Each structure stands twice: as C-alpha cells, then as structure tokens.
Amino acid sequence: MDSEKQFTYALAPGTVLRSGPDSRYIIEKVLGQGGFGITYLASGIAKYGNIQHKLFFAIKELFVKDMCHR
C-alpha cells in the first residue's frame, strides 16, 4: 500500500473520536477509502484492574461521497 496516498474525505491522523465520557479512540491512519466509506486504524486505552493497555481497532465510517461532505 502506498503510504503517501491522499485520502480526500478522510479524518486526519490524531483526530479524537469519543464513544463515552471515559472512552475515546484516536485515528492513527487511514486503511482505505471507497465509494461508500472510509476505514481507519484507531487506538484506544482499555483499563483492566490497575493496568492500562493500548489497543488497536478498525473503525468503518459510512461516508457516501455523493451524499456526504465535511
């Protein structure tokens, strides 16, 4: 995959997505973009007892280019 490829509609790396008061995901990079959506690699912190773990997730954003804009 070309790491220099520009993704026109994608969120920028470092963008913070919140899913609740104590949880958030940080966009690490764009994995791909097509006609119906954008897929991101994101990271987040999960706490198990007193130990925190950095976890990675794939997040799919529904973004129909002909119907959406930023």
Side-chain angles (χ1 to χ4, degrees), residues 10-60:
L11 298 171
T15 300
V16 176
L17 305 175
R18 298 200 183 277
S19 63
D22 295 328
S23 60
R24 68 183 191 160
Y25 302 96
I26 299 172
I27 300 296
E28 299 289 336
K29 70 177 187 175
V30 178
L31 296 175
Q33 177 177 303
F36 287 96
I38 306 166
T39 305
Y40 303 94
L41 175 66
S43 63
I45 301 294
K47 188 173 181 180
Y48 298 103
N50 293 329
I51 301 172
Q52 290 187 346
H53 298 277
K54 184 174 183 179
L55 303 175
F56 292 93
F57 305 89
I59 296 177
K60 177 76 175 202

